[in-house]
Amino acid sequence: MSKTKTKTTAKPKSSVKQSSSKAATRVSSRDADCDVFTEKYFGLKLYDWQKKVLLDLSKPGARVALKAANGSGKTAMIAAPAALWYALIYPGSIVITTSGVYRQVKEQLWPQIRALASKVAGLGMQINQTDLTMDNGSRILGFATDQPGRFEGFHGNVFIVLDECKSIQEDLFEAVARIQP
């Protein structure tokens, strides 16, 4: 079984989002929760357990670990929408997405991120293979490493998505734990 872990440390800074027509759209405090945001803005239909995981991610300081069956939607329905949600709701944030191997980041997680990003492209973003920058100052970055020192150096409003945790070396978890908001 695989796991996806995430870590969040901030509260939403803004309740105004830009729609694709560039008109300001109010996002209620409940809409700003990851589960509601995922269904409303990305159009995903979630199972109750997926909603609970995404709602748990909405809580400041949340550290969420998910263990679920292969093919249950951890990457497509939890990890990818959570990464985009965080970057959209928390201006100026950095979202780090990683796995034990770069192939998982590039071929599994990031196609899902790009597909979801296309649904909110009017909010202003530039995207390439494993890097997305937003007009609100947020950035999502995807990479893999087996050297803990390469995972350090991220500071500020940081959200971390660890996909397929079974393939991530233990010392990388320690490097992630040292990242301070």
Side-chain angles (χ1 to χ4, degrees), residues 69 93 177:
S93 62

Side-chain angles (χ1 to χ4, degrees), residues 12 79 100 118 123 136 161:
S118 71
L123 297 176
N136 72 1
V161 177

Side-chain angles (χ1 to χ4, degrees), residues 14-27 41 120-124:
S14 173
S15 63
V16 177
K17 294 286 158 217
Q18 293 291 347
S19 71
S20 58
S21 66
K22 300 290 184 186
T25 303
R26 286 263 166 218
V27 175
Y41 296 97
V120 292
L123 297 176

Side-chain angles (χ1 to χ4, degrees), residues 17-19 22 87-88 90-93 120-127 132-140:
K17 294 286 158 217
Q18 293 291 347
S19 71
K22 300 290 184 186
L88 287 164
Y90 299 98
S93 62
V120 292
L123 297 176
M125 57 188 74
Q126 301 75 45
I127 189 168
L132 183 148
T133 56
M134 296 185 173
D135 290 351
N136 72 1
S138 293
R139 181 176 182 205
I140 306 174

Side-chain angles (χ1 to χ4, degrees), residues 4 14 53 61 67 79 91 93-94 118 121 127 139 148 150 162:
T4 298
S14 173
V53 171
K67 184 176 182 179
S93 62
I94 184 163
S118 71
I127 189 168
R139 181 176 182 205
R150 291 187 179 167
L162 305 170

